[in-house]
Amino acid sequence: MKKLLLAAAATALLAGTGLAPAQAEYLKEHRGGTIRLLARSAAGTLDPHINYTDQGWQMYQPVYDGLVIFRKAEGKDGFSVVPDLAEALPTVSNDGKTFTFKLRKGIKFSNGQDLGVKDVVASFQRIFKISGPTSGTFYAGLVGADKCLADTKSCTLEGGVVADEAAGTITLNLTKPDAELLYKLALPHAVILPADTPAEDMGSRPIPSTGPYMISAFDPNKGMTLSRNPNFKQWSEEAQPEGYPDVVQYDFGLSEEAAVTAIQNGEADWMFDPLPSDRLAELGTKFKDQLHISPLSAWWYAPLNTRLAPFDNEKARQAVAFAIDRNTLVKLFGGKVLASPVCQVLPPDFPGHEDYCPFTKNPGAKWSAPDLDKAKQLVEESGTKGQKVTIIVEDTAVSRSIGVYLQSVLTSIGYVADVKPISTNIQFTYIQNTNNKVQMSVSQWYKDYPAASDFLNILFGCASFREGSDASINISGFCDKEIDAKMQKALDLGVTDQKAADKMWAEIDRQITDKAPAVGLFTPKRLDFVSKRVGNFKFNPQFNWMVTQAWVQ
């Protein structure tokens, strides 16, 4: 009966994917009201230079701006970079190593301060002063970044970020060409904040912003409120359009089950967390017109700490990869309509992806079935049998169920396993910090931008690992000098021959997958459930549903 219900849910969900949203020209007619969002918990720090979560980045889109930004559009158009605080895309010179931007005039922060070139310089310095999670990767190519990484407090980026106040220009100088620089500048980690913003994690304190909305209230235990920025005047519809609702109220604390019921009853309009699988049949049959399925370039995975026992042993890591039944995980997430098994790092239909799965019966291009005999053999050979392993997961219905399943897998191949759910508000930073000695965890990675390096170099590059830091995105602590050097070659090659670079990234993907610093679980699709009063639902491939481009009746 459960299989029949899942099949019925999948059929109904697919039937509801062809709905066309209303058009945005009805701004005046639909402007106003409060849209209510729900999440199990907050997404950690409010600081946009530090927060590295899908939940946080989605909400920053109508709040903060960078020199450039991803176009607020659906489909492939949402992957294009457009001018934002800059008047136009930069003038590029010096053989691709110098980017010059002209800053727009008349933009103010939500606190009334004028935006100027000094704010841009200070913001780039701040990325390094606070040891931002991508300072050593995304922005390490700036002239002077090496000194900033070595001594964060005295960071000036001298020669790397040069302001001309009279001309209103900002010039970024690189040590070598970077084909991905505009992508990196379009991300929240490069938004422009007031020059006097403290060089510390602002935590729960909202920072003044330039977008159509500002964060007017925040309590990590209760919720967040976005209200209109009184100093905003639209300068570019494709970069930062006006929104429809007057207020976005984001409440925290309800369970996923309660959140679904609240949306059904019209008491809330949307929920961030994955929908509970036991509600999909009901939603797919009775509420299909309120469901939206969208493709994602994303990866659910289990980082294995390569610096702690038992997973400092490569055979122990490979054993886990062989033992997991990915079909079971797909079912826990909601079925084949919403997820697909995966072994490797790069997701399907992504630059550099070539089908590869060594950790399955009959290894080859695709995952087929677990190989428990091989897994047990590797555990024996590793000498780690009987060791204790704790799995840290988010305290959500889906993550808890995945954690419990992984616990049973580890137990079946010879480990003494335990699972520990902790609040989503802190789990992502907790599993990054080496002081917490996390052996194994469950996490998700949603692409920052469409390039293979954003999965491979960011998650497994040596520069992404930092001892004792909440912003050490290389959660597994993996650092292979030969692979790292090859990744740098692929980045350099991408400047002149992206096709050849993607072939190299495919080789790197196979090499990292073989060493199993993390176990690929599945690639997800996004399923959004909205209330009946929500109109103009639009999904951006970079940052998901564009909340403020929807209206409420």
Side-chain angles (χ1 to χ4, degrees):
M1 178 59 72
K2 187 175 182 181
K3 290 181 180 179
L4 288 172
L5 287 174
L6 288 171
T11 301
L13 289 174
L14 284 174
T17 59
L19 296 174
Q23 297 301 308
E25 63 243 29
Y26 302 113
L27 175 62
K28 292 182 180 178
E29 180 183 352
H30 294 286
R31 184 182 172 103
T34 297
I35 192 166
R36 186 182 177 205
L37 316 180
L38 300 174
R40 180 87 186 204
S41 69
T45 177
L46 276 187
D47 198 318
H49 282 169
I50 298 177
N51 188 293
Y52 210 169
T53 69
D54 196 45
Q55 184 179 352
W57 281 22
Q58 179 181 28
M59 297 310 299
Y60 292 152
Q61 294 313 297
V63 175
Y64 295 105
D65 295 278
L67 293 171
V68 294
I69 201 166
F70 284 97
R71 188 190 306 267
K72 298 295 197 307
E74 297 181 286
K76 292 183 179 180
D77 287 345
F79 286 134
S80 59
V81 174
V82 297
D84 190 8
L85 296 178
E87 289 182 351
L89 292 178
T91 301
V92 183
S93 58
N94 190 24
D95 296 324
K97 292 186 290 186
T98 297
F99 292 69
T100 302
F101 299 85
K102 173 81 170 177
L103 204 61
R104 295 183 193 269
K105 295 180 180 179
I107 295 178
K108 292 180 178 289
F109 289 101
S110 52
N111 63 357
Q113 291 179 217
D114 291 322
L115 171 77
V117 294
K118 69 180 187 305
D119 302 300
V120 180
V121 174
S123 292
F124 277 95
Q125 292 171 345
R126 186 176 186 271
I127 293 169
F128 293 88
K129 288 182 177 180
I130 60 175
S131 296
T134 50
S135 57
T137 49
F138 287 172
Y139 312 110
L142 289 166
V143 170
D146 53 347
K147 294 180 181 178
C148 289
L149 291 168
D151 184 1
T152 58
K153 291 183 179 179
S154 64
C155 177
T156 64
L157 289 175
E158 183 177 359
V161 181
V162 181
D164 184 332
E165 187 135 11
T169 60
I170 293 289
T171 299
L172 305 183
N173 292 307
L174 307 180
T175 58
K176 62 181 182 180
D178 182 353
E180 301 173 5
L181 181 65
L182 288 184
Y183 283 151
K184 297 168 183 175
L185 296 178
L187 298 173
H189 286 168
V191 298
I192 306 306
L193 307 175
D196 58 1
T197 304
E200 62 188 33
D201 184 351
M202 293 293 282
S204 298
R205 292 170 288 173
I207 303 172
S209 54
T210 48
Y213 294 84
M214 62 182 187
I215 301 172
S216 52
F218 180 76
D219 182 330
N221 297 312
K222 294 182 180 178
M224 174 172 66
T225 304
L226 302 189
S227 55
R228 291 193 183 276
N229 174 1
N231 294 299
F232 175 79
K233 294 181 181 179
Q234 181 176 291
W235 58 79
S236 169
E237 185 176 0
E238 61 181 8
Q240 195 59 285
E242 284 193 56
Y244 289 98
D246 287 336
V247 175
V248 179
Q249 181 60 44
Y250 208 151
D251 294 329
F252 310 137
L254 278 187
S255 70
E256 295 92 319
E257 292 283 349
V260 169
T261 301
I263 297 168
Q264 288 176 336
N265 294 338
E267 298 166 351
D269 298 306
W270 174 85
M271 59 186 285
F272 169 77
D273 302 295
L275 300 174
S277 58
D278 64 351
R279 301 293 292 272
L280 293 183
E282 173 192 7
L283 296 177
T285 53
K286 296 180 180 179
F287 298 88
K288 65 179 182 180
D289 290 347
Q290 296 166 233
L291 292 166
H292 301 265
I293 298 178
S294 307
L296 296 172
S297 297
W299 190 49
W300 277 65
Y301 68 112
L304 304 176
N305 194 327
T306 62
R307 302 179 184 229
L308 285 179
F311 301 124
D312 54 353
N313 187 301
E314 185 175 311
K315 288 186 176 181
R317 302 196 299 268
Q318 292 173 337
V320 178
F322 271 113
I324 292 174
D325 185 342
R326 290 163 176 82
N327 278 340
T328 297
L329 294 171
V330 165
K331 291 176 183 176
L332 291 175
F333 191 72
K336 293 181 180 180
V337 173
L338 299 179
S340 302
V342 70
C343 290
Q344 63 199 101
V345 181
L346 293 178
D349 301 318
F350 200 74
H353 175 90
E354 293 179 4
D355 288 344
Y356 181 62
C357 186
F359 303 120
T360 183
K361 284 190 175 179
N362 305 314
K366 299 285 188 180
W367 184 86
S368 59
D371 192 336
L372 283 174
D373 290 338
K374 180 67 173 177
K376 292 175 181 178
Q377 175 190 333
L378 287 168
V379 171
E380 292 284 355
E381 292 176 2
S382 70
T384 61
K385 186 175 182 180
Q387 292 189 17
K388 294 182 178 180
V389 177
T390 298
I391 309 163
I392 306 296
V393 301
E394 294 172 309
D395 189 16
T396 65
V398 171
S399 290
R400 287 196 306 272
S401 65
I402 290 173
V404 170
Y405 168 72
L406 293 177
Q407 177 187 16
S408 70
V409 169
L410 291 180
T411 301
S412 72
I413 60 175
Y415 294 112
V416 179
D418 185 27
V419 61
K420 181 181 179 183
I422 61 177
S423 170
T424 307
N425 192 35
I426 62 172
Q427 192 261 4
F428 190 56
T429 52
Y430 182 90
I431 63 178
Q432 292 181 63
N433 197 317
T434 55
N435 294 337
N436 297 322
K437 301 187 184 304
V438 176
Q439 298 164 291
M440 180 176 178
S441 56
V442 174
S443 194
Q444 312 91 40
W445 184 252
Y446 298 84
K447 56 99 191 61
D448 299 318
Y449 54 84
S453 63
D454 185 56
F455 277 79
L456 297 166
N457 187 41
I458 299 304
L459 295 182
F460 302 105
C462 298
S464 292
F465 176 76
R466 295 176 181 174
E467 292 274 1
S469 170
D470 282 352
S472 181
I473 199 62
N474 183 343
I475 299 168
S476 62
F478 179 79
C479 179
D480 184 298
K481 296 295 186 182
E482 290 185 9
I483 293 178
D484 211 59
K486 194 170 183 177
M487 289 197 283
Q488 296 309 308
K489 288 181 180 179
L491 286 167
D492 293 342
L493 182 59
V495 175
T496 56
D497 190 343
Q498 189 59 56
K499 188 174 181 180
D502 285 342
K503 291 295 291 184
M504 188 177 289
W505 285 115
E507 295 172 6
I508 294 167
D509 188 17
R510 289 191 289 271
Q511 290 177 323
I512 292 177
T513 297
D514 286 344
K515 291 187 172 292
V519 178
L521 305 178
F522 56 88
T523 57
K525 288 186 176 68
R526 177 72 201 182
L527 178 60
D528 289 298
F529 177 43
V530 297
S531 73
K532 286 184 177 180
R533 70 190 201 115
V534 171
N536 205 42
F537 182 96
K538 291 187 175 182
F539 191 90
N540 177 273
Q542 263 301 127
F543 300 111
N544 302 339
W545 175 38
M546 296 182 285
V547 175
T548 58
Q549 291 308 294
W551 59 61
V552 286
Q553 304 296 335

